[in-house]
Amino acid sequence: MNGSDTRDVLVVGGGVAGLTAATFTARAGLDTLVLNDGESILRRNAHLENVPGFPAGVNPRLFADLLAEQAERNGVTIAQSWVVRVAPTESGFDVTTAADGTVRARYVVAASWSDASYLPGDVTTRAAGSKTFVDEDGVGRTSVAGLYATGRLTERYHQAVVAAGHGAAVGITLLHDSGTPFYNDWVTPVGYFTDRGREVPPGCEEIDAAEQAHREAESRAVMRERFAEAHPQRQRTHPSLVDDRGRVDTSWDVTED
């Protein structure tokens, strides 16, 4: 990254909320970059429950991988980098990283853990012990135009499904505010709109039976592959509990029954 790197949207944080917001903005055609450092707290879970579509739960590290893969398939660029400063400019924001790189972005979505120290000083925040939360209007708009916030940074409930839903809402809010044509992100059968004399709305597609079969087959193949084996990443716990890497002992390694 350097001073010439310019994006439509820059998302700070590659957890559930950040990746979901990024997927929506990228799918609508905005050049979207996610800067992430460290790992999402999601990966510390032993097993992820209460996520729609997974009746028996799902490995949280696999779920995190799937979120990143989904974002990248929709055009999101994900890079490892620690953001130290977000500074408003006349045309958006300059985002500075710990490696002294700068990315210019029209819009920024703050989706990090509850630390707002890198954000502009005029962002409205509230302190809660060691944490700082960012005030927003319910759909992500902060007190600084063009700067949005989502997920745990906004004191949303500490649940993956809540973070995903808020990230989606913030992504859609950003699209509306930017004037990017967007409807409901539907993929429909041929004729759903056009046979009623309507144009296909922005963000939607009409696909024929052959394309539908292709996408369904690809979906099944991807899920079979991703769930065929136990996830290789070892279980982690809170960094203060075990050692300087925050890893538990080998008895926590996932093995087949």
Side-chain angles (χ1 to χ4, degrees), residues 183-201 204-208 212:
Y183 183 56
N184 284 323
D185 196 25
W186 282 6
V187 179
T188 68
V190 168
Y192 187 93
F193 295 103
T194 53
D195 284 354
R196 293 183 288 142
R198 297 179 56 189
E199 293 185 0
V200 179
C204 300
E205 292 179 87
E206 288 188 350
I207 60 174
D208 60 22
Q212 180 181 352

Side-chain angles (χ1 to χ4, degrees), residues 151-187:
R152 191 57 181 158
L153 183 60
T154 64
E155 206 173 4
R156 282 300 185 275
Y157 290 125
H158 206 359
Q159 297 292 322
V161 64
V162 175
H166 192 241
V170 172
I172 293 172
T173 299
L174 190 158
L175 294 175
H176 287 321
D177 291 350
S178 69
T180 303
F182 186 80
Y183 183 56
N184 284 323
D185 196 25
W186 282 6
V187 179

